[in-house]
Amino acid sequence: MRPTKIAVASGTGASVPVECCQICGHGPLERVLSLGYMPPVNQMVSLGQIPRQQSWFPTDLLHCRTCDLVQLGLAVDPAIIFPAEYPYTSGTTKLLRDNFADLHRESAALLKLGEHDLVVDIGSNDGTLLSNFKDGGHRVVGIEPTDVGDIAKERGIPTVKRYFGLQVAREVNRDYGPASVITAANCFAHIEDVHAIVDAIVEMLKQDGVFISESHYLIALLDALQYDTIYHEHLRYYSLASLKYLLEMHDLEIFHARPIPSHGGSIRVYAGRRGAHTVQASVQRMLAVEPRGEALAKRLLSFRRDVVLSKLRLIAMLCELKDKGARIAGISAPSRASTLINYVGLDEGIIDYVCEIPGSLKIGKLIPGTGIPVVDETRLFSDQPDCAVIFSWHIADELAPKLKAKGFRGKLITPLPVPRVM
Ligand SMILES: [Zn+2]
């Protein structure tokens, strides 16, 4: 049964609590973890601006005992969490660029896509994913409500600059015809009324079309203690089981699934209309090892304990360094850095600044909720602080050798899953 009460904050200019499960409607939900109150991760104040009041939002993780969806306890108006000047561009991360190239290769081969096939990307960002399909000779359309959609347009990718929904789906259908492939990479967890989104996806989908979603994977989040990926953009934290539950409510069938490395552990799922595709062994293989019901509840309880301990351990480590007079910087300011910094309670007295690679739209702004400035990476090499915390720790192995090669001589610290000096 679909939820009778959907937490929709869109248009309220505020937030709405999630009182029953976003997938199955069950309630009340069990609270797994609370990270306290958090500022929106992408509302970054410019350096030098006079501090003004700002809304902070409770950040709780809830578990549904019926469909096993782990979800955020609060929906925040997308106008607040995705401001028009949204400073995130997917094209700036090599790992994501590589992943999107892989998604194109894998799906084009698996689905035997031809030049007449239409590929629609929901939340198409700067067009990085679609550029692969475009270069592969397929027809493409992106849907992206924020200003980064203009970057995609400049790259020659047709982009509808609107929030995705049934109306937009019908217009795309009318203007371009039904879609052979619909992709939703890392945005399928973002949109408030997930059933409306799946309805709109089904509306655009060709009879034998395929919906490919990529989302943070709950099990990877738990295994690697990635509590820092919990923020208000991410309303749902999917396991394969909860995704299956959702899609089956819309007569969609998952026929292939696999883990991918994006964002420290994601899941790529292929679904089509029921019976349209042969279900591969990968689906059962992944489902078999996922904790469900009581086992998942226990797993979430130990996760909570480990999150609390990791906070205390990081504080202890930084305290010891600071006590010895060390100067500490931060490396990279992804959205997840905001969660970690605010949950642990780091501020500009502890972290002098956070570095981003040249060209990042975050340079010259402050980490949300703090006075920590984001600066150009070159500062790190001229300044040589004693140590630097890598906030994009999930790609620390890729970053560390580069930082050393560019001349950084200080210690590098990864804050999670257990704080350590590399
Ligand atoms: Zn549920």
Side-chain angles (χ1 to χ4, degrees):
M1 215 181 69
R2 290 206 187 183
T4 48
K5 193 174 183 184
I6 298 163
V8 175
S10 186
T12 63
S15 64
V16 175
V18 172
E19 293 177 84
C20 61
C21 177
Q22 299 171 50
I23 288 181
C24 75
H26 169 83
L29 301 166
E30 288 176 19
R31 185 189 308 223
V32 171
L33 170 75
S34 177
L35 297 177
Y37 283 71
M38 294 276 180
V41 296
N42 277 304
Q43 273 195 15
M44 299 180 76
V45 176
S46 292
L47 194 59
Q49 257 183 27
I50 297 164
R52 291 176 199 281
Q53 66 171 24
Q54 194 184 25
S55 300
W56 285 44
F57 301 97
T59 309
D60 296 344
L61 211 54
L62 312 177
H63 174 210
C64 171
R65 282 295 189 117
T66 302
C67 73
D68 270 338
L69 178 69
V70 172
Q71 53 205 295
L72 210 61
L74 191 80
V76 179
D77 190 339
I80 298 173
I81 42 182
F82 302 106
E85 68 281 5
Y86 191 48
Y88 172 79
T89 48
S90 52
T92 49
T93 314
K94 183 178 182 298
L95 196 76
L96 285 184
R97 283 200 305 274
D98 291 349
N99 175 61
F100 288 155
D102 174 71
L103 170 59
H104 166 250
R105 264 194 311 272
E106 183 182 88
S107 60
L110 189 70
L111 311 171
K112 299 181 178 60
L113 297 179
E115 59 182 24
H116 54 280
D117 283 306
L118 175 68
V119 181
V120 179
D121 187 26
I122 302 162
S124 51
N125 199 265
D126 60 1
T128 302
L129 168 56
L130 282 181
S131 65
N132 290 284
F133 285 94
K134 184 169 179 278
D135 294 346
H138 316 295
R139 295 188 301 132
V140 299
V141 183
I143 298 158
E144 171 59 52
T146 74
D147 286 345
V148 289
D150 294 333
I151 302 175
K153 283 186 186 175
E154 280 162 26
R155 296 163 84 172
I157 291 160
T159 302
V160 181
K161 246 180 97 177
R162 307 240 307 267
Y163 284 105
F164 179 63
L166 201 54
Q167 191 53 40
V168 171
R170 287 189 178 130
E171 286 172 28
V172 169
N173 216 340
R174 181 195 66 206
D175 297 342
Y176 299 90
S180 301
V181 176
I182 299 170
T183 51
N186 203 37
C187 73
F188 197 50
H190 292 48
I191 302 169
E192 291 182 317
D193 184 351
V194 71
H195 289 290
I197 292 313
V198 183
D199 282 341
I201 285 165
V202 172
E203 175 81 17
M204 284 197 299
L205 201 64
K206 222 169 147 180
Q207 206 50 40
D208 62 348
V210 174
F211 169 52
I212 307 170
S213 71
E214 287 188 358
S215 310
H216 276 138
Y217 186 38
L218 173 70
I219 311 304
L221 186 158
L222 299 176
D223 285 349
L225 213 64
Q226 301 186 67
Y227 75 81
D228 57 341
T229 62
I230 300 168
Y231 43 86
H232 295 96
E233 286 177 25
H234 300 151
L235 284 163
R236 296 171 292 276
Y237 303 81
Y238 295 110
S239 60
L240 185 57
S242 58
L243 260 178
K244 184 169 178 282
Y245 194 107
L246 165 66
L247 295 176
E248 283 179 355
M249 289 172 80
H250 295 263
D251 274 330
L252 294 175
E253 181 176 52
I254 294 175
F255 64 90
H256 180 43
R258 72 177 184 92
I260 52 167
S262 310
H263 307 286
S266 299
I267 181 172
R268 181 184 294 163
V269 170
Y270 289 72
R273 294 179 200 273
R274 200 188 295 278
H277 301 268
T278 309
V279 179
Q280 301 190 15
S282 58
V283 179
Q284 198 45 48
R285 211 163 41 228
M286 280 194 82
L287 284 173
V289 293
E290 284 186 351
R292 307 276 284 275
E294 192 55 35
L296 179 56
K298 273 193 184 148
R299 184 76 188 74
L300 291 166
L301 205 64
S302 67
F303 172 72
R304 176 175 186 261
R305 181 180 170 276
D306 292 343
V307 168
V308 172
L309 285 175
S310 84
K311 169 177 178 164
L312 296 172
R313 287 191 180 112
L314 182 59
I315 290 174
M317 179 189 258
L318 297 180
C319 178
E320 201 182 317
L321 286 162
K322 221 53 199 169
D323 195 29
K324 289 178 186 153
R327 286 184 307 128
I328 308 171
I331 308 289
S332 58
S335 299
R336 61 196 301 163
S338 179
T339 292
L340 188 141
I341 285 170
N342 283 286
Y343 172 65
V344 176
L346 305 180
D347 60 31
E348 67 275 25
I350 304 167
I351 306 285
D352 294 352
Y353 50 83
V354 173
C355 304
E356 277 270 291
I357 51 168
S360 162
L361 300 171
K362 296 183 176 182
I363 292 170
K365 299 195 161 99
L366 300 175
I367 297 284
T370 75
I372 305 172
V374 180
V375 304
D376 191 301
E377 187 188 68
T378 48
R379 169 99 169 258
L380 186 76
F381 310 117
S382 57
D383 191 36
Q384 295 291 343
D386 303 286
C387 44
V389 181
I390 303 181
F391 290 115
S392 48
W393 58 276
H394 59 297
I395 50 167
D397 291 340
E398 179 192 323
L399 287 178
K402 284 184 190 163
L403 293 164
K404 297 274 180 202
K406 285 182 186 169
F408 180 58
R409 299 188 296 272
K411 281 182 196 161
L412 288 169
I413 294 167
T414 49
L416 286 171
V418 176
R420 69 179 180 94
V421 176
M422 287 182 87

